[in-house]
Structures are given as C-alpha cells and as structure tokens.
Amino acid sequence: MQTEESLLTDRPGLLAQPQAAELTAENVVVQFGGLAAISKVSLTVRRGDIFGLIGPNGAGKTTLVNCLTGFQAPTSGRVLLGGDATSGWSPDKFRKQGVARTFQAGRLFKEMTVLENVEVAAVGLGLTRRAAQLRAMALLDWVGLAPQANRIAGTLAYTDERRVGIARALILSPAFILLDEPAAGMSDAECEDLIEWVATIPDRFNCGVLLIEHNMRVIMGVCDRIHVLDGGRSLAEGTPAEIQENPAVMAAYLGMES
Amino acid sequence: MFIRTALRGLITPLLLILGVAVITFLGVLGGDQVQTSLTEMLIRMVVVVGMWIFVGNSGVISFGHVGFMCIGGYAAAWATVDPNWKSIMLTGLPDFLQNGQYPFPYAVIGGAVLAAVVAIVLGAAIMRLSGIAASIATFAFLMIVNSVYSNWDSVTGGTSSIIGIPTVVGPWVAFAFAAGAILLAYAFKSSRFGLMLRATREDEVAAKASAINVFRVRLAAFVLSAGVVGVGGALWAHFLGVLTADSFYLSLSFITLSMLVVGGLGSLTGAVVGVVVVTIVVEVLRALEGGIALGKATLSLPPGSQEIGLGLVLALIMIFRPSGLTRGREFRLPWLQSRAGVVVSNTAPATGE
Ligand SMILES: Nc1ncnc2c1ncn2[C@@H]1O[C@H](COP(=O)(O)OP(=O)(O)OP(=O)(O)O)[C@@H](O)[C@H]1O
Ligand SMILES: [Mg+2]
C-alpha cells in the first residue's frame, strides 16, 4: 500500500529516469516573418528554484515558454534539458521527459470532470486509469480540490480552474513546471494566495518552477532569480534585489507606466 | 459497494442494449416489411456506433466511413459467394478467394480486418492533419473507394453487382452484432485511449502538453472504428445478398452522419438513439410517399419527400439542440449515479454537480 505522500511525489517505475537538473535556453531566436519575437535569449532554470520571467506585454514570455516545451521550434539557438539537446522533440515528449507547463488561457478540458482533467495527464504518461485516478485524487486532495473532483471542469470558479491546470501539470512530479501567468485576471489578494501556494511546489515536488507574473511585489517575494525580457531581448537577470536596483529595468518599467 | 461500482461502469451499455432488445423483440412480431426495416436499422446501428468510436471521441468528422463499410462488405462477399460464379465473374481475385468458399463468421472477420488495414494506411497519412483537413481527406477517400470499386471489374464486378451472397443476417443476428458494437464502443470510451482521445477533442494543445500523442490516439481509434464499420458492411452484404458500389456512397453517408448528429456526437447513447429516431422518421416519410388511405382519399407525399424531410429534421435539431437529442450525455439510472471520488470516497461532497 502506498502512502499519500508517495502517491503525490514519487514517479512510478515506468517513468523512473535520471532527472535533469537544469532546463536551458541557449541563444534562442524566434522569428515570426519579419518580427523577432525572441532575440538571442539565454537562461537556465534550476531544479528546486523558482525562476521569475517578467516583461511587458508582447515581450516574448509565452513564446519562450513555447520553445522550452516543444510548442515552438526556435529559429536558431537550442533548448537543453540536463545538457541534452531537445531539437525535434514534440510537446508530449517534453512532458514525458519531465517538462510540464500551464497555459495563459487555462485550457482545461472543459467538458471532462476535474478528476479526469488531472488523470488524463497521468494516463498520457503511461499509467493505467486506476493508477492514474489514485494519484490524481491524492494530488487534488493536496490542492484542496478533492471535493470538486466530479464536477465538470467548465463550471469551476476562475481561481479553482487555475489550480486544476497546475495540478494537471504537476501530476507524476515533473522535473520542471512552467507557469504562464497563473494568476492572470485575479485580484491582488487571490494572486498572493495562489503564488504563496506555488512557492511551496519546488520543495514538495523537488522540481524547478518558471513563473510568469506581472505583479512585481509578489514576484520579488518568491523568486530565487528573475529574468527580464523586453521586446524579445534579455534586459537583465539576477536576484530580486539586483533586479530592483537595475537601472535598465527601472527605466523600462517606469517608461511603461508613464 | 463492489457490485454498485461494477454496475455503474456497465449500466449505460446494458441499458442501451436492453432498449435495442425491446425494439428488436417488438419488431420481429411485425410483418416482413417491418422485419426488413428492423434488420436494416440494426446493421446501421453497428455502422453508426462504429463511426462514433472515432468521430464521437475525437470530434473529427469523417465522411469516409461508408467507404470502410464498402470495403468490409466486398471482402465478406468474396469469402462467401459460390466459387463457380466467382471464377466466371471475378477472375482477378486471388486464388484462395476465387476457388474457396468460407463460412459467414470468417467473412465478418475478413471484412473487419481488411477495413482496419486500409484504415492504418489511410490514418497514418491523414491523422497528422488538423481536424478540418482530415475531414476533407476522408471525403476524398470515400470518392476513391467508390471509383475503385465501381471500376475494378475483375475483382468487384464493376458496375454490375455481386449476387448470390448467402442471406444469413436477420433481425436477431443483426441485434447480436449491434449489442457487441455497443459494448466495444463503451469499453473504448472508458479505456485509457478513450480518455486521451476525448481530451484531444476538448483541447488539442492542452492534450499535447499532457503527454498525449494526438496522432497515435487518433489513429488507434480510427482503425478500431473502421474495423467495426467493416463488420457492418459484411452484415449488410449478407442481409441484402447483392452488392453494388454505389449503394455505399453519398446518400448512405448522409443518413449515417445524420444519425450521429441527431442523437448527439458527444455520447454513445446519442449514436444509438440517433439511429432509432432517424430510422423512424425515414420510415414514416417513406410510408407517406407510398401513400396512406384516409377514408376514400389516398394521401401521398411527392417522391423525394424522404430526403427533404430528413434534411428538415436535421436542420431543426441543429437549430434548437446543436449538441443533439442527448446533449452529449449518457443514459444512466439516477440512483446509480456516481457522486464523488471514483477512488477516494471519504471526500465525497454532499452535492455533486
Ligand atoms: N504565432 C505567432 N505568430 C506571429 N506572431 C506571434 C505569434 N505568437 C506571438 N507572436 C508575437 O510575438 C510577440 C511576443 O508574444 P508573446 O505572446 O510571447 O508575448 P508575452 O510576453 O507572452 O505577452 P503577454 O504578456 O501579453 O502574454 C508579440 O509581438 C506577438 O504578437
Ligand atoms: Mg504571454
């Protein structure tokens, strides 16, 4: 009999594999026709860290996440997982290798139940339905959504929807989880609530988190490192303290507000 | 508790089969005319339930499934027709088919296997396309099948029919296959593949991010679906006794797709209900076309009313109930309804949905 804890965080035998310690973008360029959405961006997300990715609208944050998860092939540059090249990997291959993500728009399977939403990712990773349900239920319990397990996902409150999306990405304990504006559209209080919870993920699941979020106060509070993008270019990277003192970042953000 | 859980899993297919059994039982009490319509309906149920395995779960409309019915029907006929006739008319058949004659069950298996093999090849080519592009490709496939089977004289008899197929399929045989198709379709829906495929229907991008290989799950469903439809073709051949390629073309595609849509693509219940409802509508219109006596006068609708009537029913349903009569729900008994926690029951909420 497995304990609740192991159901939550271990990876079943078929997935056991040496887990990458780093997810790296190396001089990544993405060109959409004439528009350079990303220009020569390099960054590294480490296992166990919360890595903040910030920048104004259209800065290229989502495009970069798409590159790191197989949804967008870089025009040039490479994405490395634990030092291995990932070129040609499909999104499902990335997930199988331990790189999970959520979407800015949520993208739940709206007509399926909350439980099925989480279960199906474990099934995609190779579990039987029964084993997948067991783990999905343990995870929903941890998220606090077990009472909603049989609800149709499309009927959930906005904040719960986001949590289900994160649970779907967390199932079977990925090595990295990339959260694209998980708190978009939430009030400040709801946002703080959610991010406080997100902050517990790295320790609990021994994974690295990449977090995109616009609320500066919140992001400065939880991140180990922060990378700033602007117009597709890297503006700065460093600890929250360094970023707050960086003149280029200050200029970009002050410029944005005026 | 255990029995309840097991029952809950099987309740939908069992209720559907029970319903179809009642209709079959009442139908066989009727005259020849009724029995013929009944058998036809049950065979179409095999075909439509087979289509639903792919179309219903993937959300990708296929116009090509009647092509698989054609392939299954001809394959079965090759197996069971008298070798003397084949050696004169179908000189292009391979030896084992031309000189051999096989029992009906082999013919059914042959029909399923050939349809499934063709689906592997076709699916490998088109299941990577987006939904709409794949649908159009299935339509092209239907046209290709029709033109091959209408013109390959030495193997299909071309435009002259294949005749003398043993007519061994009556209402109860057809019912048995319909019941089997319902069980298989429900087992698929409940399986790992069924769940993954439904996720791709809801959101393909999120499905990929959830480790699902969209191409692989679609292909698996497509092949299984084609196999079941191939069985439907084999039954059809052994019900009519005669085969022509043109009977597996546009009008049959239209009827079977209407059946799917009327009942509701989202559920197996929808596929089964759609077959029954459309059959009733068509039969009533057909009777009216033939004319019914009202006192001394005979009232009859002009020929063609059948198609127009069916079109109208379809349009009305699309307008007032776009997700079909069942609205994508399965048929269940309310007191067996699962509340929360398929596995963890201690966290069941007081009120569910
Ligand atoms: N598929 C695409 N085709 C063409 N242009 C695109 C595509 N995806 C993104 N872009 C463009 O690339 C740029 C970066 O977009 P991206 O969505 O990555 O920004 P973002 O930082 O995530 O913004 P937001 O904060 O609004 O989510 C934008 O100018 C956008 O219009
Ligand atoms: Mg974005």
Side-chain angles (χ1 to χ4, degrees):
Chain A
M1 194 63 208
Q2 282 163 311
T3 63
E4 286 280 306
E5 183 58 32
S6 73
L7 278 178
L8 209 57
T9 57
D10 76 340
R11 307 189 90 210
L14 68 161
L15 294 167
Q17 64 207 327
Q19 293 239 317
E22 293 178 347
L23 177 62
T24 305
E26 204 181 80
N27 293 322
V28 167
V29 175
V30 175
Q31 196 85 31
F32 291 118
L35 175 88
I38 306 260
S39 321
K40 292 234 167 213
V41 171
S42 299
L43 56 77
T44 294
V45 186
R46 289 190 179 76
R47 201 85 179 270
D49 277 2
I50 298 188
F51 186 98
L53 183 60
I54 63 173
N57 291 92
K61 304 179 296 294
T62 299
T63 306
L64 189 60
V65 164
N66 287 346
C67 288
L68 290 169
T69 50
F71 281 91
Q72 172 73 52
T75 311
S76 71
R78 302 194 296 168
V79 171
L80 303 169
L81 179 60
D84 297 331
T86 60
S87 60
W89 286 14
S90 56
D92 61 289
K93 174 91 186 263
F94 268 92
R95 181 66 173 93
K96 282 167 186 145
Q97 296 295 326
V99 183
R101 72 170 295 181
T102 64
F103 295 91
Q104 204 165 343
R107 286 186 175 271
L108 292 192
F109 305 121
K110 286 207 163 50
E111 290 183 16
M112 296 177 18
T113 65
V114 168
L115 179 65
E116 283 174 330
N117 263 272
V118 181
E119 173 195 351
V120 73
V123 165
L125 288 164
L127 296 203
T128 63
R129 284 203 67 174
R130 180 162 283 275
Q133 279 172 2
L134 215 59
R135 282 163 193 277
M137 208 59 208
L139 186 57
L140 285 174
D141 217 15
W142 182 70
V143 175
L145 285 173
Q148 321 266 19
N150 269 21
R151 236 169 106 158
I152 299 298
T155 67
L156 284 178
Y158 193 74
T159 48
D160 288 345
E161 212 175 85
R162 289 307 159 103
R163 283 171 200 262
V164 174
I166 297 174
R168 185 173 68 185
L170 268 182
I171 188 111
L172 298 186
S173 215
F176 297 95
I177 175 168
L178 283 50
L179 305 173
D180 194 351
E181 298 196 31
M186 291 189 186
S187 70
D188 278 357
E190 287 166 342
C191 169
E192 270 170 43
D193 224 38
L194 182 81
I195 301 299
E196 205 173 289
W197 172 67
V198 165
T200 65
I201 289 175
D203 280 349
R204 186 73 191 223
F205 295 87
N206 180 27
C207 69
V209 174
L210 182 147
L211 176 63
I212 300 178
E213 171 53 47
H214 282 298
N215 185 326
M216 283 307 134
R217 208 165 49 78
V218 166
I219 204 132
M220 293 294 165
V222 297
C223 290
D224 296 288
R225 292 187 74 73
I226 296 175
H227 190 108
V228 189
L229 283 181
D230 188 16
R233 292 172 191 285
S234 294
L235 209 55
E237 188 187 314
T239 62
E242 287 164 357
I243 293 299
Q244 266 165 322
E245 283 160 15
N246 186 306
V249 177
M250 297 316 284
Y253 272 84
L254 288 176
M256 206 175 72
E257 271 160 28
S258 61
Chain B
M1 183 61 213
F2 172 75
I3 292 174
R4 268 175 74 102
T5 313
L7 258 182
R8 204 182 287 138
L10 275 174
I11 202 74
T12 298
L14 291 183
L15 284 175
L16 289 175
I17 290 170
L18 187 69
V20 177
V22 169
I23 293 172
T24 310
F25 183 76
L26 293 176
V28 291
L29 298 177
D32 277 357
Q33 173 81 52
V34 176
Q35 293 210 11
T36 304
S37 303
L38 173 69
T39 311
E40 196 177 289
M41 180 190 86
L42 291 167
I43 295 171
R44 282 179 178 170
M45 194 175 282
V46 173
V47 172
V48 172
V49 166
M51 285 168 73
W52 177 84
I53 291 176
F54 175 73
V55 176
N57 291 296
S58 74
V60 179
I61 297 284
S62 165
F63 299 105
H65 270 65
V66 164
F68 294 121
M69 195 180 167
C70 178
I71 290 170
Y74 273 89
W78 291 331
T80 54
V81 166
D82 180 5
N84 291 321
W85 190 83
K86 284 189 282 197
S87 63
I88 300 165
M89 298 299 294
L90 306 180
T91 50
L93 280 181
D95 232 25
F96 76 102
L97 283 175
Q98 203 177 117
N99 302 319
Q101 192 172 20
Y102 304 89
F104 172 65
Y106 286 48
V108 172
I109 294 169
V113 169
L114 189 62
V117 168
V118 172
I120 292 176
V121 177
L122 174 68
I126 70 173
M127 287 299 130
R128 284 183 207 281
L129 304 178
S130 73
I132 292 277
S135 299
I136 292 170
T138 59
F139 188 65
F141 166 73
L142 177 67
M143 300 201 302
I144 291 169
V145 169
N146 181 262
S147 94
V148 169
Y149 278 72
S150 307
N151 292 298
W152 198 359
D153 293 2
S154 64
V155 169
T156 64
T159 42
S160 62
S161 331
I162 289 189
I163 53 167
I165 307 164
T167 49
V168 294
V169 175
W172 286 112
V173 173
F175 165 77
F177 279 96
I182 289 171
L183 281 177
L184 185 67
Y186 200 77
F188 176 80
K189 179 185 180 177
S190 316
S191 73
R192 303 177 62 235
F193 274 82
L195 181 70
M196 289 191 281
L197 190 59
R198 278 184 288 135
T200 70
R201 178 186 72 191
E202 309 265 317
D203 191 321
E204 194 176 330
V205 169
K208 288 177 181 165
S210 303
I212 295 167
N213 184 332
V214 177
F215 169 73
R216 215 172 54 128
V217 292
R218 277 195 188 151
L219 182 60
F222 193 62
V223 171
L224 179 65
S225 170
V228 174
V229 172
V231 169
L235 297 175
W236 192 246
H238 289 83
F239 160 64
L240 285 182
V242 181
L243 276 188
T244 36
D246 277 347
S247 60
F248 302 102
Y249 205 34
L250 297 177
S251 75
L252 189 55
S253 295
F254 176 61
I255 291 230
T256 47
L257 278 171
S258 325
M259 287 169 162
L260 262 185
V261 170
V262 164
L265 278 180
S267 68
L268 174 59
T269 307
V272 173
V273 168
V275 171
V276 175
V277 169
V278 170
T279 301
I280 291 170
V281 170
V282 168
E283 289 300 323
V284 167
L285 290 169
R286 191 186 286 175
L288 288 175
E289 264 182 29
I292 48 166
L294 280 178
K296 285 194 187 115
T298 326
L299 177 76
S300 74
L301 294 175
S305 307
Q306 220 185 104
E307 284 75 16
I308 295 171
L310 186 56
L312 276 178
V313 169
L314 199 61
L316 288 175
I317 288 191
M318 288 296 90
I319 291 165
F320 293 107
R321 254 175 119 141
S323 46
L325 293 174
T326 61
R327 292 207 167 102
R329 305 276 158 75
E330 297 293 3
F331 190 31
R332 286 201 184 91
L333 296 175
W335 63 89
L336 274 170
Q337 191 96 315
S338 148
R339 281 288 172 198
V342 183
V343 278
V344 179
S345 49
N346 57 347
T347 43
T351 51
E353 25 288 300

